[in-house]
Amino acid sequence: CEIIYYNGKLILSMAKDSKRSTNANPPLSIVVLEPQSGEVFWRSQPMASLGDLSERGKKNVLKQGHIMIAVGNDIVAAATTDEIVAYHLASGEISWRVNRPEKSVGEAEKTKTRLHFGSFNLGSLVINRGRVYFCQPLQSGKMSNLAPMTLLCLDAKSGNVLWRKKVGDWTYT
């Protein structure tokens, strides 16, 4: 669960109910609520979380459900497995949606190297001054603890891609 407090609202990414499920990775929703009473203003439709991968049963693949969220410019942005979705903060209506950057470099898509433990489903999401920034590591297919990073800049109102760059490397130790 992620939680953000913004302009008198709590914004969370969470499973729909608290019942114990046999699904280790249930679909998650964005929930916006009033912090004093807990009253729910709106809840998004369930979406594929970052751990919800087609390669799910394979070794070294991220299996923990998670949706990255960021809030600003009166939108809640959520990064799912395949896309970035922006919701209007007050109403919960979808403002726009775009596909995430490619998840692989060169031959990696063919080889399906899993050295990075699902790292292509990690990343960071930030909203600032009318722009949404999303950065994610790419599968490189190389036997290394480094993965090239892609940084995507979107217009917060329209979701239009303003620019996209490959920047630096993601690493783990």
Side-chain angles (χ1 to χ4, degrees):
C1 172
E2 281 201 30
I3 183 169
I4 297 173
Y5 181 87
Y6 180 82
N7 284 348
K9 293 182 171 76
L10 284 176
I11 301 97
L12 298 91
S13 64
M14 57 190 290
K16 183 166 181 162
D17 60 40
S18 59
K19 294 178 185 172
R20 184 131 178 109
S21 170
T22 56
N23 182 355
N25 199 12
L28 301 179
S29 296
I30 304 301
V31 180
V32 176
L33 43 88
E34 200 283 323
Q36 300 301 318
S37 67
E39 176 188 349
V40 174
F41 290 120
W42 59 265
R43 178 187 304 268
S44 73
Q45 291 295 313
M47 57 189 91
S49 64
L50 295 176
D52 192 11
L53 305 172
S54 59
E55 300 90 357
R56 187 171 169 156
K58 294 185 180 177
K59 186 178 178 183
N60 295 336
V61 175
L62 185 68
K63 294 181 179 76
Q64 182 177 0
H66 177 70
I67 292 177
M68 283 177 270
I69 58 174
V71 182
N73 292 90
D74 295 321
I75 64 167
V76 178
T80 72
T81 302
D82 296 316
E83 62 185 355
I84 300 167
V85 183
Y87 298 89
H88 188 267
L89 180 61
S91 68
E93 295 290 319
I94 294 177
S95 298
W96 51 262
R97 60 185 348 130
V98 298
N99 289 331
R100 284 181 55 174
E102 67 281 356
K103 295 177 184 173
S104 64
V105 175
E107 294 295 305
E109 193 61 31
K110 294 178 186 173
T111 61
K112 298 286 187 189
T113 302
R114 290 291 170 251
L115 178 66
H116 302 297
F117 305 96
S119 63
F120 58 87
N121 276 313
L122 300 175
S124 294
L125 184 64
V126 175
I127 300 173
N128 188 35
R129 296 184 182 191
R131 294 186 175 191
V132 177
Y133 299 94
F134 178 69
C135 193
Q136 77 178 24
L138 305 175
Q139 289 279 77
S140 67
K142 297 177 183 176
M143 296 304 286
S144 168
N145 67 339
L146 297 175
M149 298 286 289
T150 291
L151 179 60
L152 183 65
C153 178
L154 307 167
D155 179 78
K157 286 187 180 193
S158 66
N160 291 334
V161 176
L162 300 176
W163 51 264
R164 174 189 317 238
K165 294 184 183 215
K166 290 195 170 59
V167 293
D169 288 321
W170 174 88
T171 187
Y172 66 91
T173 55

